[in-house]
Structure formats: C-alpha cells, structure tokens
Amino acid sequence: MYLSRFLSIHALWVTVSSVMQPYPLVWGHYDVCKTQIYTEEGKVWDYMACQPESTDMTKYLKVKLDPPDITCGDPPETFCAMGNPYMCNNECDASTPELAHPPELMFDFEGRHPSTFWQSATWKEYPKPLQVNITLSWSKTIELTDNIVITFESGRPDQMILEKSLDYGRTWQPYQYYATDCLDAFHMDPKSVKDLSQHTVLEIICTEEYSTGYMTNSKIIHFEIKDRFAFFAGPWLRNMASLYGQLDTTKKLRDFFTVTDLRIRLLRPAVGEIFVDELHLARYFYAISDIKVHGRCKCNLHATVCVYDNSKLTCECEHNTTGPDCGKCKKNYQGRPWSPGSYLPIPKGTANTCIPSISSIGTNVCDNELLHCQNGGTCHNNVRCLCPAAYTGILCEKLRCEEAGSCGSDSGQGAPPRGCPALLLPLAALLGTAGPLGI
C-alpha cells in the first residue's frame, strides 16, 4: 500500500516537474577542469574542457545613457499615469529619492511595492524624436545562456533595436528589430523566432510580437536565446550534445551568442494611436523596471571560475593558460600553439592544454603538476617520458614517422593523429547532430 502510494506521488512529482521546468536549470557538463586518476605510474592529472556556471550578469555591468541628461527629474517634471494617460499629476524629481528614477533602478531587486524603475524625460520637445541609447558594458567577453528580458513600466516602444558588440563598443551589429509596423519602421517583413530554422537561426529579424503600444498588461520584451538553442537541442533542450557539437564546430554560431556589450536603442515611445496627442505630450516617455541578462564569462573552456575584482571580470585560468579569457599559453608553456578547449567528445570534451616549451623543460617533465605522458608513454623518474616505438616528442605527443615525413599507408604508423576527421565521423553519428548550417 505504502509503496504504491509512494510511486503515485513520485509519478505526480515527475509530471509536475516536467511542466514547471521546461528547460534544464543547469547545463550539466564541463564544471571540472581536471581530476586525478590512477595509472601504473601512480596518480596523474586528467584534464578536460571546463566553463563557469551561468549567472545573472547584470550584477557586473556598467550602464551608460545617451544623451546623458535624458533621465527625468532634472528639472522636476510631471508625467501621466500608465493606467490613465490623461491623469498627468505624477512627478519625477531627481532631488527627492522617493520621486527619482535613476538608471540603476533597472537592475535592482524586483518585487518591491511600489515598483522601482528608470524613466526618461517626457516627449515635451515633439516633433523632435525622443530617442535613447542604453548601453550595457562588461569590459569582458561573455556568452549568453538565457533570454534577454526587458520589462517596461511604460508602454513598450513603438520602435526599438537591440544591438550587440564583440569589440567593447567600437562597432555594433543589430541583434533584433522591434516595431508595431516593421515594414514602415525598418523596411523589413515581420517575423518571429518560430519562423526560423537551424539554417536561418542567425538571421536578423524584425518582430511585431512585443510592440503592442500603450497597454498596461503588455510590458515585457524578449530576445529569445533558448528558442534558438532549441533548434539544435530540441524543444526542451534535452539534447545538449547536439547543441554543444554545433557550438564547437561553427564559429559564427558561437559568436552569435557572445558579446562584450549590449545596446538598447529606444527610437519611438508607445503612442498607441496613429497620431501623437500634442496636447498631452507628458504621456509619452520610456520607463524600464528590469533588465535580465544571464550568461557566463567566456574562458575558452579553460576555467570554471570567473572573479569580479576592482569592477572587472577575469577568468581564473587552468590548463596552463592565461589572459582575461584564457586566450594564450602561460610563459614556458608554449610547446604547441594555444587552442580553445573543445566540447567534444561529450561529456568531458578536450582540454587542449598548453604544454611545456622545449627551452623550459627542467627536472620535472611528467610529475603530477604537469602533463602526463601521452599515447602510452611512461614517466621515468619524473624526468622524461619513455615513448612507444611509434611516438616521439617530450610527452610522446608526435608520431615518429611525421618527423621523418614517412607517414604513408606502408609505414605501419598510419594511425591518424588526435583531431583527425576520420575519428570525428563515428562521433557525429553518435551525437546525431544536425547537418551543417547554411551560413
């Protein structure tokens, strides 16, 4: 009796959980950079690809508004209530904390009552456009892992562009256009993410889905990251191996979800009618109560920790790498060119660790703190690797026939080196990844 009741409760919990958690909370892999394993030579380090956890990245950003004096309250002014656009006795006053609406209120704790929000000046200079650029900067390369969500306290804008930068704000590319009329505003046919596919996932679209004008129950604008992930990982992101395989092998796809800065360009406030009511210009303004950006530091799969110190994010690099993004080999570890880690093969990936330079080899070549011998080599007194007949190099990392230029089919040493396409074919079949992107 008790067993059947337990099984019924468990089944109910599984059902409820699957409904409440359509997407995995944690991506699951690559949270360890190295682990100790036992071999005939004793304990050695086994290295693997690794990355920091996804987190709320708004805790680490700097915000900039252009024009810088666009925030309401200096001088004080009145504006119309959101629920009643003709009740225009609300006040914004930068000198009074209870009436001020500075930019930092876009990133404070939500759930307060009354709600807190940033607000622009009203459209008192109509017909001059009321336009605002909100730039979010991290001074660090980050990888987006969840939808960007912007919650408006005013009506959602009639026209808006979300832009990204990969070079710290020097150049910008559009991420998505938003408008009540895409054709009129941006000369683009309206689309939604649902209209995209694996082959068009990088297409820049204009959507009318989030621009419904002056409505109290329509406040949120999305940039859908997870819906784009779902083209490769399935509707519930269950097949992460497929997504990781595509991110690993398609640089354009990986770069699409990578930013150093985001810019929200507010081009026209919510009007709600064809014509602007010039007798009540205090009803037109922008107000944002919350911006959500989830992601992780980009560490090139060489770190699990990203430290925020002196207002700066930096990867704590492993695998003998260094730099803000672990983008180069440490001094004395340049025995081969630096390379990012790889998600493949699933689930541990490939560390692509930097190895000691020939000029830096000292007494301890293959102790537990450095790399262990490769391709069946054995460590001799922590001084050198004893390699099998077919291999050579400091760590037995090279085929001997490669040095002699004789790696032909008759050499008996024709085994493909690590990373050979022949080895990747069974892996691709195992992962069941989609065909190449049409990009």
Side-chain angles (χ1 to χ4, degrees):
M1 174 180 176
Y2 292 107
L3 178 60
S4 62
R5 182 177 299 175
F6 170 79
L7 292 175
S8 299
I9 293 173
H10 181 263
L12 177 61
W13 169 248
V14 170
T15 302
V16 171
S17 298
S18 65
V19 172
M20 294 178 64
Q21 305 284 351
Y23 297 111
L25 290 178
V26 180
W27 288 32
H29 301 305
Y30 313 108
D31 53 355
V32 176
C33 291
K34 63 182 180 180
T35 184
Q36 283 193 320
I37 60 174
Y38 289 88
T39 69
E40 293 180 355
E41 295 296 318
K43 290 192 299 183
V44 296
W45 287 112
D46 182 32
Y47 296 88
M48 56 206 74
C50 53
Q51 62 188 3
E53 289 185 5
S54 176
T55 188
D56 176 10
M57 297 304 296
T58 61
K59 296 181 290 186
Y60 311 112
L61 62 76
K62 294 179 181 178
V63 60
K64 175 186 174 184
L65 270 61
D66 185 31
D69 59 349
I70 195 62
T71 300
C72 69
D74 186 17
E77 64 176 312
T78 57
F79 61 94
C80 304
M82 174 65 186
N84 186 346
Y86 299 102
M87 184 181 294
C88 301
N89 57 357
N90 294 276
E91 187 176 4
C92 179
D93 185 349
S95 64
T96 305
E98 294 79 11
L99 301 176
H101 298 284
E104 55 265 28
L105 296 183
M106 290 185 281
F107 311 103
D108 63 341
F109 173 73
E110 287 300 290
R112 298 178 184 177
H113 187 76
S115 62
T116 58
F117 52 91
W118 164 80
Q119 183 173 313
S120 75
T122 60
W123 206 358
K124 52 184 176 290
E125 295 186 13
Y126 177 86
K128 180 182 177 181
L130 180 62
Q131 298 182 346
V132 184
N133 286 346
I134 303 172
T135 303
L136 315 179
S137 301
W138 284 271
S139 299
K140 171 80 179 74
T141 310
I142 66 170
E143 297 168 331
L144 301 175
T145 59
D146 206 339
N147 296 348
I148 298 170
V149 183
I150 307 169
T151 304
F152 284 83
E153 193 66 19
S154 62
R156 297 181 293 191
D158 281 358
Q159 296 176 16
M160 183 188 110
I161 306 174
L162 179 65
E163 297 178 325
K164 61 170 285 189
S165 175
L166 261 174
D167 54 11
Y168 306 96
R170 288 187 286 273
T171 61
W172 295 91
Q173 301 83 41
Y175 239 165
Q176 191 151 294
Y177 295 86
Y178 302 81
T180 53
D181 187 333
C182 287
L183 199 58
D184 179 66
F186 301 116
H187 309 291
M188 300 172 68
D189 292 325
K191 288 187 177 181
S192 72
V193 174
K194 300 180 183 65
D195 298 318
L196 302 178
S197 67
Q198 284 190 14
H199 300 284
T200 61
V201 68
L202 306 187
E203 181 181 342
I204 308 303
I205 65 172
C206 178
T207 180
E208 298 175 357
E209 189 174 354
Y210 301 110
S211 304
T212 54
Y214 208 102
M215 297 173 61
T216 57
N217 62 342
S218 301
K219 293 186 173 184
I220 295 176
I221 283 180
H222 285 262
F223 178 70
E224 301 92 340
I225 297 291
K226 283 191 170 178
D227 284 351
R228 287 170 166 86
F229 287 165
F231 288 122
F232 307 100
W236 308 115
L237 301 188
R238 302 299 187 197
N239 186 9
M240 292 304 294
S242 176
L243 174 62
Y244 281 135
Q246 291 287 358
L247 291 172
D248 205 66
T249 57
T250 312
K251 185 178 185 300
K252 286 185 177 180
L253 182 67
R254 189 166 63 248
D255 287 348
F256 184 80
F257 300 110
T258 304
V259 305
T260 57
D261 307 76
L262 291 170
R263 185 163 67 183
I264 303 164
R265 294 184 58 197
L266 306 172
L267 302 180
R268 180 180 171 88
V271 173
E273 302 94 9
I274 298 176
F275 301 104
V276 173
D277 183 357
E278 297 186 44
L279 299 178
H280 300 89
L281 292 175
R283 64 182 288 198
Y284 306 121
F285 54 88
Y286 305 107
I288 296 177
S289 63
D290 189 48
I291 299 177
K292 286 185 169 61
V293 182
H294 274 79
R296 64 167 59 91
C297 290
K298 179 180 179 180
C299 301
N300 285 296
L301 295 179
H302 289 310
T304 58
V305 177
C306 193
V307 176
Y308 188 63
D309 188 34
N310 293 324
S311 300
K312 188 176 182 180
L313 285 166
T314 306
C315 301
E316 284 198 348
C317 301
E318 301 272 1
H319 303 157
N320 302 322
T321 62
T322 187
D325 299 345
C326 307
K328 59 182 181 180
C329 291
K330 290 167 60 175
K331 183 180 180 181
N332 297 332
Y333 287 89
Q334 297 165 346
R336 62 183 176 197
W338 174 89
S339 178
S342 169
Y343 286 116
L344 303 176
I346 304 294
K348 296 197 304 182
T350 305
N352 290 330
T353 309
C354 293
I355 65 173
S357 307
I358 295 177
S359 60
S360 68
I361 297 300
T363 56
N364 293 335
V365 172
C366 46
D367 61 17
N368 288 343
E369 295 304 318
L370 300 177
L371 289 178
H372 52 279
C373 303
Q374 302 174 21
N375 297 311
T378 57
C379 186
H380 179 67
N381 295 330
N382 289 343
V383 173
R384 64 191 181 95
C385 292
L386 301 178
C387 302
Y391 291 90
T392 186
I394 297 169
L395 300 173
C396 309
E397 74 277 12
K398 301 177 183 177
L399 281 168
R400 188 176 297 275
C401 63
E402 286 183 342
E403 290 193 344
S406 59
C407 285
S409 57
D410 299 330
S411 67
Q413 299 177 16
R418 192 174 301 176
C420 177
L423 292 179
L424 295 180
L425 292 176
L427 175 62
L430 177 64
L431 292 179
T433 53
L437 292 169
I439 52 177

